[in-house]
Amino acid sequence: MGLIICFFIVYNFILKNNPRAYKSVQDKFDKLITAIVIISVLSSIGIPSFFLSSIFLVIPLIAVLGVFGLPFYLIYTVLKGLGIVSDKNKGLRNEADRQRYEYEMNGVQGKKEKRGKGFSLTGLTRSYPKRCKIVEKFSKKYNLNLTEKEVERMVDASYMSYSWEREIYDMSLEYDVISQWYNRDTGWLRAYLRVFPIQSVSSDFDRQKAICLDVFRQVFSDLNPSSFYTIDECVDAINDKYLTAFDETTFMIAYRFLEANKIHIDLPSQQVVKGGSELERLMSKYDNETDAFVGQGSSDSSRGTRLGM
């Protein structure tokens, strides 16, 4: 029983917060539980002295490791305190992530939140399976169509990229309408994930931005929105051709994203509809037909006169 308790303690406090360790154990979880149960049963019916002797051997070993490891730990602590060793920017690969990190740590966005050891910069849990569940639940609720591989890639990236961490954190929040989720500076990414049935997810956030920019540019350039009478007609045409889920909101988010990146797309030119246009058209048609009839009558009269002569 003690072994099972120890395993779950290690699993919850160590393995779940370490993506690599969690992945290595995830597929073997059932086998590990079975092995621990078997060992526990055998130990309960076996010779207690064997386990007691094992404990007496393990305790001195731990003490020896502690004595020899303590100096290294103290040296590391001193170096870290002096600023010689620092892991402040560990995992933040590009300059944009470092700036966002410093922006958060300096408390520029408002009140600086207290963050425990089990949480990250945004307050998002460090548990790998919990992060996966957040993305999977959000994807299912709002029909993002994210595959298992894409979910894992986003979660893996969230441990080294503040931008991806923020995306998953925002997925953990509750929204009255999906437009609230779009209301951030990464609305272009969220619109992309929402409207396309097949996405391409990159762990590098700058590369992800380039992917979205290229896809939106291709879609808008191919259909030429200015050739449609209204934006709604253009949206319907895009959805029919690409099997997407654009609406007017996501269409404009994509349009503004392209404009911000110096890619200009002409939108449909809205024309004013006159109230009496249909009546005028019918009257004009009647007048034209009357003029044609009168003209034809005059022509017949002239031809008869000539024949009489």
Side-chain angles (χ1 to χ4, degrees):
M1 188 66 181
L3 288 175
I4 297 176
I5 295 174
C6 290
F7 174 76
F8 278 105
I9 291 174
V10 172
Y11 175 77
N12 283 288
F13 289 95
I14 298 177
L15 296 180
K16 287 175 67 175
N17 297 332
N18 188 320
R20 182 179 297 178
Y22 175 78
K23 286 184 178 181
S24 64
V25 174
Q26 184 179 15
D27 297 334
K28 306 171 185 175
F29 187 79
D30 294 337
K31 294 180 181 179
L32 285 173
I33 293 294
T34 303
I36 291 172
V37 170
I38 293 174
I39 293 173
S40 299
V41 171
L42 291 176
S43 64
S44 63
I45 61 176
I47 303 174
S49 60
F50 171 76
F51 298 98
L52 290 175
S53 61
S54 299
I55 294 174
F56 286 119
L57 288 173
V58 170
I59 292 176
L61 180 60
I62 294 174
V64 171
L65 291 175
V67 170
F68 284 99
L70 184 60
F72 294 101
Y73 176 75
L74 292 175
I75 293 172
Y76 172 79
T77 304
V78 172
L79 293 176
K80 187 176 180 180
L82 294 174
I84 299 174
V85 176
S86 176
D87 58 354
K88 180 181 178 181
N89 288 331
K90 182 180 180 181
L92 304 180
R93 291 188 170 181
N94 54 49
E95 187 62 29
D97 279 337
R98 287 195 180 88
Q99 290 176 358
R100 293 186 189 101
Y101 182 97
E102 293 171 0
Y103 190 70
E104 283 288 314
M105 294 303 290
N106 291 332
V108 180
Q109 286 184 331
K111 185 178 179 181
K112 189 175 180 181
E113 300 178 357
K114 294 182 179 179
R115 300 180 177 93
K117 292 182 179 180
F119 294 86
S120 55
L121 294 176
T122 59
L124 178 67
T125 175
R126 295 193 63 84
S127 170
Y128 187 87
K130 287 183 180 179
R131 290 191 182 191
C132 288
K133 287 180 180 178
I134 289 172
V135 180
E136 289 169 354
K137 181 180 178 181
F138 191 86
S139 176
K140 183 177 181 181
K141 182 177 181 180
Y142 293 105
N143 299 319
L144 301 189
N145 299 317
L146 291 171
T147 64
E148 182 179 349
K149 184 176 181 180
E150 289 166 347
V151 171
E152 290 181 356
R153 186 170 296 170
M154 291 171 75
V155 173
D156 288 341
S158 69
Y159 287 93
M160 65 180 183
S161 168
Y162 170 78
S163 298
W164 275 120
E165 180 186 321
R166 180 71 197 197
E167 290 303 314
I168 297 179
Y169 173 77
D170 285 353
M171 287 181 182
S172 69
L173 305 178
E174 292 293 331
Y175 301 98
D176 297 323
V177 291
I178 194 171
S179 296
Q180 292 176 302
W181 180 54
Y182 298 142
N183 190 24
R184 252 185 71 81
D185 55 352
T186 56
W188 49 268
L189 170 61
R190 301 176 184 194
Y192 169 76
L193 295 175
R194 176 66 181 84
V195 303
F196 285 92
I198 299 176
Q199 305 93 356
S200 179
V201 175
S202 173
S203 59
D204 186 276
F205 211 75
D206 291 334
R207 170 59 184 161
Q208 185 66 59
K209 183 177 180 180
I211 291 172
C212 294
L213 188 65
D214 187 53
V215 170
F216 285 138
R217 180 186 58 78
Q218 290 182 42
V219 170
F220 278 58
S221 300
D222 189 21
L223 266 79
N224 186 17
S226 63
S227 64
F228 295 90
Y229 185 69
T230 64
I231 289 179
D232 289 332
E233 289 181 359
C234 181
V235 167
D236 291 339
I238 292 175
N239 291 338
D240 290 340
K241 184 171 183 178
Y242 295 100
L243 302 178
T244 52
F246 273 101
D247 55 16
E248 196 273 343
T249 300
T250 50
F251 178 92
M252 293 307 302
I253 289 174
Y255 170 76
R256 291 301 176 191
F257 177 56
L258 292 174
E259 288 285 317
N261 287 275
K262 298 181 173 49
I263 300 176
H264 179 69
I265 302 293
D266 292 325
L267 293 179
S269 179
Q270 190 72 37
Q271 309 228 343
V272 178
V273 179
K274 297 179 181 179
S277 59
E278 182 63 20
L279 178 60
E280 290 175 357
R281 187 184 66 80
L282 293 174
M283 291 179 65
S284 176
K285 182 180 179 181
Y286 174 78
D287 290 340
N288 291 335
E289 290 177 351
T290 302
D291 292 342
F293 178 77
V294 172
Q296 183 179 1
S298 300
S299 176
D300 292 343
S301 177
S302 298
R303 186 167 54 251
T305 302
R306 288 196 297 270
L307 290 172
M309 291 176 63

